[in-house]
Short mmCIF file of all heavy atoms in Angstrom, two decimals:
data_model
loop_
_atom_site.label_atom_id
_atom_site.label_comp_id
_atom_site.label_asym_id
_atom_site.label_seq_id
_atom_site.Cartn_x
_atom_site.Cartn_y
_atom_site.Cartn_z
N MET A 7 4.75 -13.36 -21.70
CA MET A 7 3.84 -13.17 -20.57
C MET A 7 2.54 -12.53 -21.07
O MET A 7 2.59 -11.47 -21.71
CB MET A 7 4.48 -12.26 -19.52
CG MET A 7 3.49 -11.86 -18.46
SD MET A 7 4.02 -10.63 -17.24
CE MET A 7 5.11 -9.57 -18.06
N LYS A 9 -0.29 -10.37 -19.97
CA LYS A 9 -0.41 -9.41 -18.87
C LYS A 9 -1.81 -9.46 -18.26
O LYS A 9 -2.73 -10.07 -18.83
CB LYS A 9 -0.04 -8.03 -19.40
CG LYS A 9 1.42 -7.94 -19.86
CD LYS A 9 1.73 -6.57 -20.42
CE LYS A 9 3.18 -6.47 -20.85
NZ LYS A 9 3.49 -5.13 -21.41
N HIS A 48 11.79 -7.72 -13.02
CA HIS A 48 11.55 -8.07 -14.43
C HIS A 48 11.78 -6.86 -15.34
O HIS A 48 12.34 -6.99 -16.42
CB HIS A 48 10.13 -8.61 -14.61
CG HIS A 48 9.75 -8.81 -16.05
ND1 HIS A 48 10.22 -9.86 -16.81
CD2 HIS A 48 8.99 -8.05 -16.88
CE1 HIS A 48 9.74 -9.76 -18.04
NE2 HIS A 48 8.99 -8.67 -18.10
N TYR A 49 11.32 -5.68 -14.88
CA TYR A 49 11.42 -4.47 -15.71
C TYR A 49 12.56 -3.55 -15.26
O TYR A 49 12.50 -2.34 -15.50
CB TYR A 49 10.09 -3.72 -15.69
CG TYR A 49 9.03 -4.33 -16.61
CD1 TYR A 49 7.82 -4.77 -16.11
CD2 TYR A 49 9.24 -4.45 -17.98
CE1 TYR A 49 6.84 -5.33 -16.94
CE2 TYR A 49 8.30 -5.00 -18.82
CZ TYR A 49 7.10 -5.43 -18.31
OH TYR A 49 6.15 -5.97 -19.15
N LEU A 52 13.99 -0.62 -17.16
CA LEU A 52 13.13 0.54 -17.42
C LEU A 52 12.94 1.40 -16.18
O LEU A 52 12.09 2.30 -16.16
CB LEU A 52 11.75 0.06 -17.93
CG LEU A 52 11.77 -0.77 -19.22
CD1 LEU A 52 10.36 -1.26 -19.56
CD2 LEU A 52 12.32 0.05 -20.38
N PHE A 57 7.22 6.11 -16.83
CA PHE A 57 6.05 5.21 -16.74
C PHE A 57 6.33 3.97 -15.88
O PHE A 57 5.47 3.10 -15.75
CB PHE A 57 5.58 4.78 -18.14
CG PHE A 57 6.64 4.11 -18.98
CD1 PHE A 57 6.93 2.75 -18.82
CD2 PHE A 57 7.34 4.82 -19.94
CE1 PHE A 57 7.90 2.12 -19.60
CE2 PHE A 57 8.31 4.20 -20.73
CZ PHE A 57 8.59 2.85 -20.54
N LEU A 61 3.73 1.03 -14.81
CA LEU A 61 3.94 -0.28 -15.43
C LEU A 61 3.94 -1.38 -14.36
O LEU A 61 3.29 -2.43 -14.52
CB LEU A 61 5.26 -0.26 -16.21
CG LEU A 61 5.74 -1.57 -16.82
CD1 LEU A 61 4.73 -2.13 -17.82
CD2 LEU A 61 7.10 -1.35 -17.52
N TYR A 64 0.49 -1.98 -12.99
CA TYR A 64 -0.29 -2.73 -13.99
C TYR A 64 0.04 -4.22 -13.91
O TYR A 64 -0.87 -5.07 -13.85
CB TYR A 64 0.05 -2.12 -15.34
CG TYR A 64 -0.24 -2.88 -16.60
CD1 TYR A 64 -1.43 -3.59 -16.79
CD2 TYR A 64 0.67 -2.84 -17.67
CE1 TYR A 64 -1.68 -4.24 -18.00
CE2 TYR A 64 0.42 -3.48 -18.86
CZ TYR A 64 -0.75 -4.19 -19.02
OH TYR A 64 -0.99 -4.83 -20.20
N ILE A 65 1.30 -4.55 -13.84
CA ILE A 65 1.70 -5.97 -13.87
C ILE A 65 1.28 -6.70 -12.59
O ILE A 65 0.99 -7.89 -12.62
CB ILE A 65 3.23 -6.09 -14.11
CG1 ILE A 65 3.59 -5.56 -15.50
CG2 ILE A 65 3.72 -7.53 -13.94
CD1 ILE A 65 2.87 -6.22 -16.67
N ARG A 85 8.03 -11.74 -31.50
CA ARG A 85 7.79 -10.28 -31.41
C ARG A 85 6.95 -9.80 -32.59
O ARG A 85 6.16 -8.87 -32.47
CB ARG A 85 9.12 -9.53 -31.39
CG ARG A 85 10.00 -9.88 -30.20
CD ARG A 85 9.87 -8.96 -29.04
NE ARG A 85 10.28 -7.60 -29.34
CZ ARG A 85 10.30 -6.64 -28.42
NH1 ARG A 85 9.90 -6.89 -27.18
NH2 ARG A 85 10.68 -5.42 -28.73
N ILE A 88 3.41 -10.68 -31.84
CA ILE A 88 2.90 -9.78 -30.80
C ILE A 88 2.58 -8.40 -31.37
O ILE A 88 1.57 -7.80 -31.03
CB ILE A 88 3.94 -9.66 -29.66
CG1 ILE A 88 4.00 -10.98 -28.88
CG2 ILE A 88 3.63 -8.49 -28.75
CD1 ILE A 88 5.15 -11.06 -27.89
N THR A 91 5.24 -2.34 -29.73
CA THR A 91 4.94 -2.08 -28.31
C THR A 91 3.73 -1.16 -28.15
O THR A 91 2.86 -1.41 -27.32
CB THR A 91 6.16 -1.42 -27.63
OG1 THR A 91 7.28 -2.29 -27.79
CG2 THR A 91 5.91 -1.19 -26.15
N ARG A 102 -1.28 -7.35 -30.53
CA ARG A 102 -1.59 -6.00 -30.04
C ARG A 102 -2.39 -5.22 -31.07
O ARG A 102 -3.26 -4.41 -30.72
CB ARG A 102 -0.30 -5.26 -29.70
CG ARG A 102 0.36 -5.79 -28.42
CD ARG A 102 1.73 -5.16 -28.25
NE ARG A 102 2.40 -5.55 -27.02
CZ ARG A 102 3.72 -5.52 -26.87
NH1 ARG A 102 4.49 -5.14 -27.89
NH2 ARG A 102 4.27 -5.86 -25.74
N ASP A 108 -3.94 0.82 -26.10
CA ASP A 108 -3.22 1.67 -25.16
C ASP A 108 -1.86 1.05 -24.85
O ASP A 108 -1.79 -0.13 -24.47
CB ASP A 108 -4.08 1.76 -23.89
CG ASP A 108 -3.55 2.75 -22.87
OD1 ASP A 108 -2.34 3.05 -22.88
OD2 ASP A 108 -4.35 3.18 -22.03
N ILE A 109 -0.79 1.83 -24.96
CA ILE A 109 0.56 1.30 -24.68
C ILE A 109 0.68 0.84 -23.22
O ILE A 109 1.45 -0.07 -22.90
CB ILE A 109 1.65 2.35 -25.02
CG1 ILE A 109 3.03 1.68 -25.05
CG2 ILE A 109 1.62 3.54 -24.08
CD1 ILE A 109 4.13 2.53 -25.64
N GLY A 110 -0.12 1.43 -22.35
CA GLY A 110 -0.09 1.04 -20.94
C GLY A 110 -0.95 -0.17 -20.62
O GLY A 110 -1.02 -0.62 -19.48
N ARG A 111 -1.63 -0.71 -21.64
CA ARG A 111 -2.47 -1.92 -21.47
C ARG A 111 -2.31 -2.75 -22.75
O ARG A 111 -3.27 -2.97 -23.48
CB ARG A 111 -3.95 -1.56 -21.28
CG ARG A 111 -4.26 -0.86 -19.97
CD ARG A 111 -4.21 -1.82 -18.78
NE ARG A 111 -4.51 -1.16 -17.50
CZ ARG A 111 -3.63 -0.49 -16.76
NH1 ARG A 111 -2.38 -0.36 -17.16
NH2 ARG A 111 -3.99 0.06 -15.62
N ASN A 112 -1.08 -3.21 -22.98
CA ASN A 112 -0.80 -3.80 -24.30
C ASN A 112 -0.77 -5.33 -24.31
O ASN A 112 -0.15 -5.96 -25.16
CB ASN A 112 0.48 -3.19 -24.90
CG ASN A 112 1.72 -3.50 -24.09
OD1 ASN A 112 1.64 -4.08 -23.02
ND2 ASN A 112 2.86 -3.12 -24.61
N ILE A 114 0.40 -8.14 -23.70
CA ILE A 114 1.39 -9.23 -23.76
C ILE A 114 2.81 -8.68 -23.78
O ILE A 114 3.05 -7.56 -24.27
CB ILE A 114 1.10 -10.11 -25.01
CG1 ILE A 114 2.04 -11.32 -25.09
CG2 ILE A 114 1.12 -9.29 -26.30
CD1 ILE A 114 1.60 -12.37 -26.12
N HIS A 115 3.73 -9.46 -23.23
CA HIS A 115 5.16 -9.13 -23.26
C HIS A 115 5.91 -10.28 -23.93
O HIS A 115 5.58 -11.44 -23.70
CB HIS A 115 5.69 -8.95 -21.84
CG HIS A 115 7.19 -9.01 -21.75
ND1 HIS A 115 7.99 -7.90 -21.96
CD2 HIS A 115 8.04 -10.03 -21.50
CE1 HIS A 115 9.26 -8.26 -21.84
NE2 HIS A 115 9.33 -9.55 -21.56
N GLY A 116 6.91 -9.95 -24.73
CA GLY A 116 7.80 -10.97 -25.28
C GLY A 116 9.24 -10.50 -25.19
O GLY A 116 9.53 -9.31 -25.41
P1 CMP B 201 6.64 -4.74 -22.84
O1 CMP B 201 6.82 -5.43 -24.13
O2 CMP B 201 6.22 -5.52 -21.66
O3 CMP B 201 8.00 -3.97 -22.49
C1 CMP B 201 8.06 -2.84 -21.67
C2 CMP B 201 6.70 -2.31 -21.35
O4 CMP B 201 6.68 -0.98 -20.91
C3 CMP B 201 5.87 -2.27 -22.62
O5 CMP B 201 5.55 -3.56 -23.04
C4 CMP B 201 4.71 -1.41 -22.17
O6 CMP B 201 3.75 -2.16 -21.43
C5 CMP B 201 5.41 -0.44 -21.24
N1 CMP B 201 5.64 0.86 -21.87
C6 CMP B 201 6.56 1.16 -22.81
N2 CMP B 201 6.48 2.45 -23.14
C7 CMP B 201 5.48 2.97 -22.38
C8 CMP B 201 4.92 4.28 -22.27
N3 CMP B 201 5.36 5.30 -22.99
N4 CMP B 201 3.89 4.44 -21.39
C9 CMP B 201 3.45 3.41 -20.65
N5 CMP B 201 3.96 2.14 -20.73
C10 CMP B 201 4.95 1.95 -21.58
#
Side-chain angles (χ1 to χ4, degrees):
M7 171 187 32
K9 296 178 178 179
H48 172 75
Y49 282 121
L52 301 176
F57 57 82
L61 174 60
Y64 162 43
I65 295 303
R85 298 265 297 183
I88 289 170
T91 303
R102 288 172 177 156
D108 187 336
I109 194 168
R111 292 287 180 276
N112 63 355
I114 184 168
H115 164 85

